[in-house]
Amino acid sequence: MFDIVIGLEVHTQLNTTTKLFCSCPTSFNDRPNINTCPTCLALPGALPVLNKSVLEKSIMLGTAIGATVNRTSFFDRKSYFYPDSPTSYQITQLYKPVVEHGTLDIDFEDGTSKTIRINRAHIEADAGKNIHDGSVSKVDLNRAGTPLLEIVSEPDMFSAEEAVLYVKKLHSIVRYLDISNANMQEGSFRVDVNVSIRPKGDTKLYTRVEIKNINSFRFIQKAIEVEVQRQTEAWEDGVYDEEIRQETRLFDQVKQETRSMRGKEEAADYRYFPEPDLLKALIPDDMFAKFSDIPELPDEKKARLVSEYGLREYDAAVITADLETAHFFEAMLKEGISGKNAVTWLTVELQARLKGGLSIATSPVDAKTMGTLVKRIEDKTISGKAAKEVLDYLMENASDVDSVIEKLGLKQMNDTGALEKIIDEIIANNEDKAEQYRGGKEKLLGFFVGQTMKASKGTANPQSVNEMLKAKLA
Ligand code: ADP
Ligand code: MG
Ligand code: ZN
């Protein structure tokens, strides 16, 4: 039997308006090679100048993970040749990164949690993109020189589940801090997964395999599963030493396997050395003070929702897992409704109706409208059942809650006199059943409730109907 050991390197693209060392825009999806200049094209004589907002965002991340933020850090050159890198080296931070020694807590469904150590977070420049188009390969350098923060964990995760929880938590933190768009499809949040196995109980680290550039939570899970399987089989077949080498592999989601990209024989010699074109990266006191004052993080927001609105831990976790949902929820609450009702109408009713690529962020029904809808249930204008009809209508038609209630005639009957009249009539017409009820056949209450709701065309308040029927039948 084996234990699994996982360490993760997450590359998160910082959402600065300009690149790391030049003033080219970082916008996505522009015409190829339009966002370039002598610096990011590495033309002779052009010198890099550090973008200060990269340091500011690094301070925020460092603070969020309780790390040391180095007031002085350095840049290093990592040499490698690849068509998407016009410099033929990458500027990164090896010896003195901007952020060191942080932690991040992951929470399991059973309510327990675990602390994962983060070794460091360093600043580096992204490469461009190679586009393979039939027999031609093209290079787009728009992305060359955009700022990345690479966040490197210790090998502290022992299952695919823990790795996914860690990545999700980190993803949510950078979104809350608003330091990265962290869009996995667009590649602004990419994960390298390092995996090894070891016999149960052993504490030494065995050979790690690095699976590069995974861009979805599900693929992280899958890639780990298939790689662990490969390593386990090699061990059991007695060929572990030959087959499992420290190497970089690629996850093929179609074939559900990992494949070697480059082995030890071809391992790059990066010839790291201090970057001679850049000064030290200094963080002055005022900058540190300003940017270490960070916004509320997911865990804090979760705790606050539990204590302020009495949400269940689980609901609070669902609400705070992503920033859009959290914002939507808080905007609904501005209508003065109960937290619990807001949770249900957001995470159950609205969520179920968001189909065909719609999300909370692009919901056709906005938070204020959802809040008003819940308010109309709470103030007994409509029943919960009617509210679902209103919501169905609003998903298809732009309008407001009160107009739709009016239009669909869903206003609840809150006139007790009118309700009493209906109930008296129904009991009078069904004296036999009323007798049986009094004789102990309490199931028959459902029959009377049904008749009353039908007679009121669904506009009676079910709770009032129940109470009044019980009193009248007693
Ligand atoms: P490199 O740049 O060579 O990939 P890094 O230090 O940046 O090296 O990252 C190494 C990653 O691998 C870290 O996340 C670390 O926790 C992880 N790691 C190291 N040893 C093991 C191992 N035996 N099994 C799994 N993960 C490991
Ligand atoms: Mg690596
Ligand atoms: Zn440039």
Side-chain angles (χ1 to χ4, degrees), residues 19 21-25 35-41 144-145:
K19 291 186 181 179
F21 299 121
C22 63
S23 54
C24 291
N35 301 325
T36 54
C37 74
T39 302
C40 55
L41 290 175

mmCIF file of all heavy atoms in Angstrom, residues 19 21-25 35-41 144-145, ligand 3:
data_model
loop_
_atom_site.group_PDB
_atom_site.id
_atom_site.type_symbol
_atom_site.label_atom_id
_atom_site.label_comp_id
_atom_site.label_asym_id
_atom_site.label_seq_id
_atom_site.Cartn_x
_atom_site.Cartn_y
_atom_site.Cartn_z
ATOM 1 N N LYS A 19 2.522 45.409 -18.778
ATOM 2 C CA LYS A 19 3.374 44.233 -18.557
ATOM 3 C C LYS A 19 4.369 44.443 -17.405
ATOM 4 O O LYS A 19 4.468 45.522 -16.836
ATOM 5 C CB LYS A 19 4.119 43.896 -19.851
ATOM 6 C CG LYS A 19 3.192 43.377 -20.951
ATOM 7 C CD LYS A 19 3.989 42.913 -22.169
ATOM 8 C CE LYS A 19 3.052 42.421 -23.274
ATOM 9 N NZ LYS A 19 3.819 41.998 -24.481
ATOM 10 N N PHE A 21 7.765 44.486 -17.273
ATOM 11 C CA PHE A 21 8.949 45.343 -17.409
ATOM 12 C C PHE A 21 8.828 46.391 -18.505
ATOM 13 O O PHE A 21 9.821 46.989 -18.900
ATOM 14 C CB PHE A 21 10.188 44.483 -17.685
ATOM 15 C CG PHE A 21 10.499 43.508 -16.576
ATOM 16 C CD1 PHE A 21 10.537 42.141 -16.823
ATOM 17 C CD2 PHE A 21 10.758 43.956 -15.282
ATOM 18 C CE1 PHE A 21 10.836 41.240 -15.810
ATOM 19 C CE2 PHE A 21 11.050 43.062 -14.259
ATOM 20 C CZ PHE A 21 11.090 41.701 -14.531
ATOM 21 N N CYS A 22 7.623 46.572 -19.068
ATOM 22 C CA CYS A 22 7.438 47.597 -20.097
ATOM 23 C C CYS A 22 6.009 48.110 -20.012
ATOM 24 O O CYS A 22 5.217 47.592 -19.223
ATOM 25 C CB CYS A 22 7.744 47.043 -21.490
ATOM 26 S SG CYS A 22 6.639 45.704 -21.981
ATOM 27 N N SER A 23 5.671 49.097 -20.836
ATOM 28 C CA SER A 23 4.330 49.672 -20.688
ATOM 29 C C SER A 23 3.327 49.125 -21.711
ATOM 30 O O SER A 23 2.273 49.709 -21.936
ATOM 31 C CB SER A 23 4.408 51.197 -20.775
ATOM 32 O OG SER A 23 5.065 51.548 -21.969
ATOM 33 N N CYS A 24 3.641 47.991 -22.314
ATOM 34 C CA CYS A 24 2.677 47.366 -23.225
ATOM 35 C C CYS A 24 1.452 46.880 -22.451
ATOM 36 O O CYS A 24 1.579 46.392 -21.341
ATOM 37 C CB CYS A 24 3.304 46.149 -23.908
ATOM 38 S SG CYS A 24 4.588 46.589 -25.063
ATOM 39 N N PRO A 25 0.247 47.000 -23.068
ATOM 40 C CA PRO A 25 -0.959 46.521 -22.383
ATOM 41 C C PRO A 25 -0.971 44.992 -22.245
ATOM 42 O O PRO A 25 -0.376 44.284 -23.064
ATOM 43 C CB PRO A 25 -2.106 46.992 -23.279
ATOM 44 C CG PRO A 25 -1.504 47.422 -24.556
ATOM 45 C CD PRO A 25 -0.035 47.636 -24.365
ATOM 46 N N ASN A 35 0.666 43.985 -29.037
ATOM 47 C CA ASN A 35 1.077 44.520 -27.734
ATOM 48 C C ASN A 35 2.539 44.186 -27.437
ATOM 49 O O ASN A 35 2.842 43.422 -26.530
ATOM 50 C CB ASN A 35 0.166 43.978 -26.630
ATOM 51 C CG ASN A 35 -1.283 44.328 -26.864
ATOM 52 O OD1 ASN A 35 -1.577 45.411 -27.375
ATOM 53 N ND2 ASN A 35 -2.182 43.433 -26.523
ATOM 54 N N THR A 36 3.421 44.750 -28.233
ATOM 55 C CA THR A 36 4.842 44.465 -28.048
ATOM 56 C C THR A 36 5.642 45.750 -28.213
ATOM 57 O O THR A 36 5.152 46.728 -28.776
ATOM 58 C CB THR A 36 5.348 43.445 -29.096
ATOM 59 O OG1 THR A 36 5.007 43.943 -30.397
ATOM 60 C CG2 THR A 36 4.734 42.076 -28.898
ATOM 61 N N CYS A 37 6.864 45.741 -27.702
ATOM 62 C CA CYS A 37 7.750 46.908 -27.812
ATOM 63 C C CYS A 37 9.189 46.401 -27.770
ATOM 64 O O CYS A 37 9.407 45.209 -27.566
ATOM 65 C CB CYS A 37 7.480 47.887 -26.669
ATOM 66 S SG CYS A 37 8.129 47.309 -25.090
ATOM 67 N N PRO A 38 10.176 47.258 -27.971
ATOM 68 C CA PRO A 38 11.563 46.777 -27.956
ATOM 69 C C PRO A 38 11.925 45.994 -26.693
ATOM 70 O O PRO A 38 12.678 45.015 -26.757
ATOM 71 C CB PRO A 38 12.373 48.078 -28.057
ATOM 72 C CG PRO A 38 11.484 49.005 -28.839
ATOM 73 C CD PRO A 38 10.086 48.684 -28.368
ATOM 74 N N THR A 39 11.346 46.354 -25.535
ATOM 75 C CA THR A 39 11.709 45.643 -24.307
ATOM 76 C C THR A 39 11.180 44.207 -24.311
ATOM 77 O O THR A 39 11.940 43.254 -24.116
ATOM 78 C CB THR A 39 11.194 46.385 -23.058
ATOM 79 O OG1 THR A 39 11.736 47.705 -23.065
ATOM 80 C CG2 THR A 39 11.613 45.675 -21.779
ATOM 81 N N CYS A 40 9.863 44.034 -24.555
ATOM 82 C CA CYS A 40 9.355 42.658 -24.488
ATOM 83 C C CYS A 40 9.695 41.861 -25.747
ATOM 84 O O CYS A 40 9.530 40.637 -25.768
ATOM 85 C CB CYS A 40 7.871 42.618 -24.125
ATOM 86 S SG CYS A 40 6.781 43.571 -25.175
ATOM 87 N N LEU A 41 10.202 42.543 -26.784
ATOM 88 C CA LEU A 41 10.718 41.813 -27.945
ATOM 89 C C LEU A 41 12.213 41.551 -27.802
ATOM 90 O O LEU A 41 12.835 40.946 -28.667
ATOM 91 C CB LEU A 41 10.468 42.612 -29.232
ATOM 92 C CG LEU A 41 9.005 42.713 -29.679
ATOM 93 C CD1 LEU A 41 8.894 43.625 -30.893
ATOM 94 C CD2 LEU A 41 8.438 41.335 -29.979
ATOM 95 N N ALA A 144 4.027 37.791 -24.027
ATOM 96 C CA ALA A 144 5.422 37.795 -23.563
ATOM 97 C C ALA A 144 5.648 38.975 -22.626
ATOM 98 O O ALA A 144 5.374 40.114 -22.964
ATOM 99 C CB ALA A 144 6.366 37.879 -24.755
ATOM 100 N N GLY A 145 6.120 38.680 -21.429
ATOM 101 C CA GLY A 145 6.408 39.750 -20.479
ATOM 102 C C GLY A 145 5.241 40.130 -19.581
ATOM 103 O O GLY A 145 5.346 41.091 -18.812
HETATM 104 ZN ZN ZN B 3 6.539 45.669 -24.276
#
